[in-house]
C-alpha cells in the first residue's frame, strides 16, 4: 500500500465545511484512495473511495488531484458528531492479491467546535 | 436495519479463562474479519474468512480461534494462551470482491483481570 501523510489534527466550526487533506505522492495507477473515520470507542466507519474521478455520497465528497498525488475529503456541513479520527488509506483494487488487513495510520483528529 | 452486531460491548474475564466474542452480520457479506486495537494503536488483523467453513490467520492469530459455520456469524474465542488479551476487538465484514470496503461492528472491549 502506498504511504499516506495527513495532518495530525484540525479544527472546524460547526456548520462549516471540513476539508481534510491527504498526500499520497507514491500512489500507483491501480491504487484507490479510501477514507474511513473512527469515533472514540467505536468501530471504524467507511466513508468513501475513489480512483481518479471526484466522488460524492451522502456522507462526503472526495476530490482527487489530476496527478493523483493528493486528495481532500470534504464534509460539507460539519456537525459535532463528525468529531473523529479520519484515516486516508491507499490500496490496490480487489483483484484477490495482497493483504486483507486494512492499515490505519495515525490519521487526522478532527474536532468540530460549536 | 442492516449491519454488524457485536456482543457484549464490555466483557470482563479472569486470567486463564477462555472467552468467546460474538459477531453477527445481516449484510449478506461473504467475507468477515476480526481485528484487535490497543490504546493509541492501529488495527491488527487476527483472522479473516472469505467464505463459510473457511478462514485464514491474520498477523496476530496466536492465542485466538474462530469458526465460520454460518455466513452471518464469525465468533472469536480468546484462549488462555493469548498473553495479553485485554484489548478492543472489532469485527468487520465486506463483499468478497470488495474487501477494501469493510463495515465494522461497534466493538467489544475485553478486560482480563
Amino acid at each position: 500500500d502506498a504511504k499516506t501523510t495527513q495532518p495530525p489534527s484540525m479544527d472546524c466550526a460547526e456548520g462549516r465545511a471540513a476539508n481534510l487533506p491527504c498526500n499520497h505522492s507514491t500512489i500507483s495507477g491501480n491504487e484507490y484512495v479510501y477514507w474511513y473515520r473512527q469515533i472514540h470507542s467505536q468501530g471504524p466507519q467507511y466513508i468513501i473511495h475513489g480512483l481518479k474521478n471526484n466522488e460524492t455520497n451522502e456522507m462526503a465528497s472526495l476530490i482527487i488531484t489530476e496527478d493523483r498525488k493528493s486528495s481532500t475529503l470534504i464534509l460539507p456541513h460539519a456537525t459535532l458528531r463528525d468529531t473523529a479520527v479520519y484515516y486516508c488509506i491507499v490500496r490496490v483494487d480487489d483483484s484477490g492479491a495482497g493483504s486483507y488487513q486494512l492499515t490505519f495510520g495515525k490519521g487526522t483528529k478532527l474536532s468540530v467546535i460549536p | 436495519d442492516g449491519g454488524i452486531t457485536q456482543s457484549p460491548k464490555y466483557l470482563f474475564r479472569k486470567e486463564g479463562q477462555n472467552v468467546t466474542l460474538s459477531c453477527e452480520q445481516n449484510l449478506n457479506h461473504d467475507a468477515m474479519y476480526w481485528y484487535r486495537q490497543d490504546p493509541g494503536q492501529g488495527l491488527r488483523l487476527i483472522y479473516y474468512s472469505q467464505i463459510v467453513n473457511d478462514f485464514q490467520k491474520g498477523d496476530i492469530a496466536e492465542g485466538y480461534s474462530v469458526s465460520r459455520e454460518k455466513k452471518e456469524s464469525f465468533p472469536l474465542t480468546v484462549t488462555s494462551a493469548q498473553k495479553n488479551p485485554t484489548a478492543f476487538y472489532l469485527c468487520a465484514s465486506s463483499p468478497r470482491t470488495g474487501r477494501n470496503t469493510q463495515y465494522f461492528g461497534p466493538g467489544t472491549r475485553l478486560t482480563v483481570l
Side-chain angles (χ1 to χ4, degrees):
Chain A
D1 301 344
K3 180 177 165 55
T4 61
T5 304
Q6 298 177 253
S9 64
M10 291 181 63
D11 292 340
C12 177
E14 188 178 17
R16 303 297 291 269
N19 297 287
L20 293 98
C22 179
N23 286 323
H24 31 79
S25 57
T26 61
I27 193 171
S28 58
N30 64 345
E31 287 184 312
Y32 286 67
V33 181
Y34 290 81
W35 283 85
Y36 281 78
R37 72 180 182 184
Q38 188 171 23
I39 296 169
H40 183 63
S41 293
Q42 296 184 25
Q45 179 185 22
Y46 163 78
I47 301 173
I48 199 168
H49 74 279
L51 181 65
K52 53 184 177 182
N53 296 322
N54 297 338
E55 303 287 343
T56 295
N57 63 20
E58 65 279 3
M59 287 184 68
S61 295
L62 174 60
I63 309 298
I64 302 174
T65 58
E66 195 168 338
D67 64 7
R68 303 210 322 121
K69 293 183 185 300
S70 66
S71 60
T72 301
L73 178 76
I74 301 172
L75 308 178
H77 305 288
T79 72
L80 299 178
R81 288 178 294 180
D82 292 321
T83 292
V85 180
Y86 286 77
Y87 299 96
C88 169
I89 302 170
V90 171
R91 284 177 65 89
V92 296
D93 191 8
D94 296 305
S95 59
S99 169
Y100 280 74
Q101 175 167 316
L102 290 179
T103 300
F104 292 82
K106 295 192 183 299
T108 296
K109 182 172 171 50
L110 175 69
S111 298
V112 180
I113 301 167
Chain B
D1 276 31
I4 300 178
T5 57
Q6 291 184 245
S7 60
K9 187 158 178 66
Y10 298 97
L11 190 55
F12 297 88
R13 278 294 182 269
K14 292 183 179 179
E15 195 172 344
Q17 289 182 332
N18 291 355
V19 60
T20 298
L21 281 59
S22 165
C23 177
E24 305 278 329
Q25 55 100 359
N26 60 4
L27 299 168
N28 200 33
H29 285 167
D30 287 307
M32 297 187 74
Y33 314 80
W34 274 104
Y35 289 88
R36 168 184 173 138
Q37 187 174 35
D38 293 287
Q41 304 296 315
L43 276 65
R44 291 184 289 168
L45 186 64
I46 304 173
Y47 269 97
Y48 64 96
S49 167
Q50 298 179 70
I51 199 167
V52 173
N53 292 322
D54 183 63
F55 48 84
Q56 285 80 41
K57 293 181 179 180
D59 294 337
I60 56 164
E62 186 176 347
Y64 300 98
S65 66
V66 293
S67 63
R68 187 86 187 277
E69 296 175 4
K70 297 186 295 183
K71 186 175 184 177
E72 58 270 22
S73 178
F74 191 39
L76 172 75
T77 297
V78 184
T79 75
S80 56
Q82 168 49 234
K83 291 184 173 57
N84 296 298
T86 295
F88 188 43
Y89 290 89
L90 289 156
C91 179
S93 72
S94 73
R96 200 192 328 179
T97 56
R99 63 184 173 169
N100 292 340
T101 309
Q102 295 181 15
Y103 294 84
F104 286 80
T108 292
R109 191 167 298 280
L110 173 65
T111 302
V112 175
L113 307 170

